[in-house]
Amino acid sequence: MVWSMEYSHTTPFFNTELNTSTTVGILVWCAGPITGFFAQPAIGAMSDRLGRRKPFVMAGAVLTAAASVTFSLAETIAGEQSVGAVIIAMISFWVMDISINIVMVTLRLLISDAAASSPELQQQQQQTQATAQTIASLFQGAGQVTGMLINSLFSDPLGRLWVLYTIASCCLLVTCAVAVFAVHETPHRIQTVGGKPLCSRVVGGARGVISVLWTEVCRPPFRMLRILLAQFFTWLAWFSITIILTTWFAESFFAGNGDKGDSAGSMAFLYQAVVQLVSSLLLTICLARITGRRTVPFVWALTLAPLSACCTAMFATVQASRDPPPVWVAQLLWGLTGVATASTNIFPFAAVGNIYHDHHDKGLLMGLLNVSIVLPQLLDTLALGPFQKAVGINWCLLLAACFGAGACVFSLFASAPAAPPPSNGPTKL
């Protein structure tokens, strides 16, 4: 819920309420990928070092709640459209972004650890990890839909932003507390026989973080590289279209009317969230029943396919005729990409949990998945604007479809059988 409100209200809040320039907006949003690049791998590694996930979950939830409420009350604290309000809003937004990353990665790790701790399911790690992450995606979709529905109850959401963030923060604190108290966690000790684990280098500070990230990004294990490539192309596809979707609706259906484009795009995102919720529920049922070593990679590729297919269909409906079809056609097509949204939030994490379910650096490796999200975001931020000006905004959909097809191919080879039982020494990457 907090994340959906962050994406819905941050840009309008800075542009309308605080009356800032476009440069400030770009600076604010650049903090996301930069902080995520360092925060998720570092937090994952430190949780490996401590041998616990729960303290990071609750610390991140409390920090997120405090930062989000402070963000919404920036003008109340420092005055309307004042420099102080802008500074408070920017700092609290960055803190909120970092703390959301903390909650996300440690909750994913807690889920993965819980799935790997059941002795009777050790021989079915692939299905177990996928099912566990599917349930997580189900609740994530429920949170997005709930956040959008709560937002729709207010005629002036920006004027009641502190109410929205307070509701979302309370829900976050309650749900994280339930997860912490309900899930049994077995603290594990990090073995150092034969050398120190990677996470021990992170605790040394920022220099250690950069060293670990450089080593793991440039020379990841081959099995991890396949997962990172699938993740990389998936997010290249998403960022190629999501950041310009409302503009595409405005130019393709409403002759550039931004208000109508925003309304149509918001409805399309709502359809997508509902489809993601339903898809996660169906995948939860299906993955609990399937067997076979290659079944999960096949389902991963199959559920990513709607992203490429729907983007191609949206491109064709506008490109092939002078008169565009009814806007609801494009909205429904985009809504169907919710299947791929569910897949994106399930299978990369399940693949890491499957292959490295008993690895002492699983937190670091799970955090590295975020690197394959940050790099596509930066590439699309830098290159999508010139590409759009050169060939037209509609061709961005075809570009996204091509990247989505590449993600389908890599996902077929991105999972593997569960790793062998751990030895007396640290597992070799």
Side-chain angles (χ1 to χ4, degrees):
M1 288 178 63
V2 177
W3 206 4
S4 65
M5 291 181 181
E6 178 188 7
Y7 271 85
S8 299
H9 301 304
T10 297
T11 299
F13 180 70
F14 275 98
N15 292 343
T16 305
E17 298 295 313
L18 297 180
N19 196 28
T20 59
S21 64
T22 305
T23 304
V24 174
I26 294 173
L27 181 62
V28 168
W29 280 112
C30 280
I34 293 173
T35 56
F37 186 94
F38 292 102
Q40 286 208 13
I43 294 300
M46 284 189 283
S47 70
D48 288 334
R49 177 70 171 178
L50 182 64
R52 299 290 301 273
R53 317 294 188 192
K54 290 183 178 182
F56 293 93
V57 172
M58 285 312 303
V62 171
L63 195 59
T64 300
S68 60
V69 174
T70 302
F71 171 78
S72 64
L73 293 174
E75 287 190 298
T76 303
I77 296 172
E80 294 185 2
Q81 297 187 355
S82 64
V83 176
V86 174
I87 294 174
I88 291 173
M90 290 179 67
I91 294 175
S92 57
F93 176 82
W94 291 335
V95 173
M96 179 168 55
D97 216 64
I98 293 173
S99 55
I100 288 176
N101 277 295
I102 295 173
V103 176
M104 287 174 60
V105 70
T106 49
L107 275 176
R108 291 285 187 176
L109 285 166
L110 187 61
I111 293 168
S112 180
D113 291 345
S117 63
S118 178
E120 61 272 15
L121 297 177
Q122 285 296 316
Q123 301 302 318
Q124 305 175 25
Q125 272 298 306
Q126 196 165 219
Q127 283 75 22
T128 303
Q129 292 286 342
T131 302
Q133 298 298 339
T134 302
I135 296 173
S137 177
L138 175 65
F139 280 94
Q140 181 178 346
Q144 289 179 336
V145 173
T146 303
M148 291 178 181
L149 291 177
I150 292 175
N151 183 70
S152 67
L153 297 177
F154 295 84
S155 58
D156 181 22
L158 291 180
R160 294 289 184 269
L161 198 61
W162 70 272
V163 177
L164 293 172
Y165 272 110
T166 300
I167 294 173
S169 298
C170 290
C171 291
L172 176 67
L173 290 171
V174 170
T175 52
C176 285
V178 170
V180 165
F181 286 105
V183 178
H184 175 71
E185 181 181 37
T186 303
H188 61 276
R189 296 183 62 186
I190 303 302
Q191 301 183 39
T192 57
V193 179
K196 295 182 178 179
L198 292 175
C199 58
S200 64
R201 288 182 281 163
V202 175
V203 184
R207 185 176 180 181
V209 174
I210 295 173
S211 173
V212 169
L213 289 177
W214 178 259
T215 301
E216 291 303 301
V217 171
C218 294
R219 291 179 296 174
F222 180 67
R223 291 181 296 181
M224 189 67 192
L225 178 62
R226 293 183 296 184
I227 300 171
L228 293 175
L229 285 172
Q231 180 88 324
F232 178 81
F233 278 93
T234 300
W235 283 98
L236 266 182
W238 283 123
F239 286 124
S240 294
I241 180 59
T242 52
I243 60 179
I244 52 94
L245 185 66
T246 55
T247 305
W248 178 80
F249 272 105
E251 294 188 9
S252 300
F253 296 93
F254 303 108
N257 188 312
D259 291 336
K260 291 184 177 180
D262 287 342
S263 177
S266 298
M267 185 60 64
F269 278 118
L270 177 59
Y271 292 161
Q272 183 191 49
V274 172
V275 173
Q276 177 190 347
L277 181 62
V278 175
S279 300
S280 299
L281 178 61
L282 294 176
L283 283 171
T284 303
I285 298 171
C286 294
L287 289 172
R289 299 174 181 272
I290 64 175
T291 58
R293 185 175 67 88
R294 298 303 306 169
T295 306
V296 170
F298 176 77
V299 175
W300 185 358
L302 185 65
T303 51
L304 280 179
L307 172 58
S308 182
C310 291
C311 285
T312 302
M314 291 166 68
F315 166 80
T317 56
V318 173
Q319 194 72 17
S321 61
R322 294 182 179 179
D323 297 325
V327 66
W328 62 263
V329 175
Q331 289 174 323
L332 289 180
L333 285 171
W334 181 254
L336 291 176
T337 64
V339 178
T341 307
S343 176
T344 304
N345 288 311
I346 295 169
F347 291 105
F349 304 97
V352 174
N354 167 45
I355 298 174
Y356 300 104
H357 67 273
D358 57 358
H359 201 283
H360 52 65
D361 284 314
K362 181 170 66 175
L364 172 60
L365 295 169
M366 191 80 80
L368 281 177
L369 286 174
N370 196 59
V371 175
S372 290
I373 302 175
V374 170
L375 294 181
Q377 185 174 359
L378 292 177
L379 286 174
D380 280 327
T381 300
L382 295 174
L384 197 60
F387 178 84
Q388 178 183 336
K389 290 181 180 179
V391 300
I393 192 171
N394 197 43
W395 288 89
C396 293
L397 276 83
L398 191 60
L399 181 67
C402 294
F403 289 141
C408 290
V409 173
F410 280 110
S411 64
L412 284 171
F413 306 98
S415 190
S423 61
N424 292 331
T427 306
K428 183 179 180 181
L429 286 175

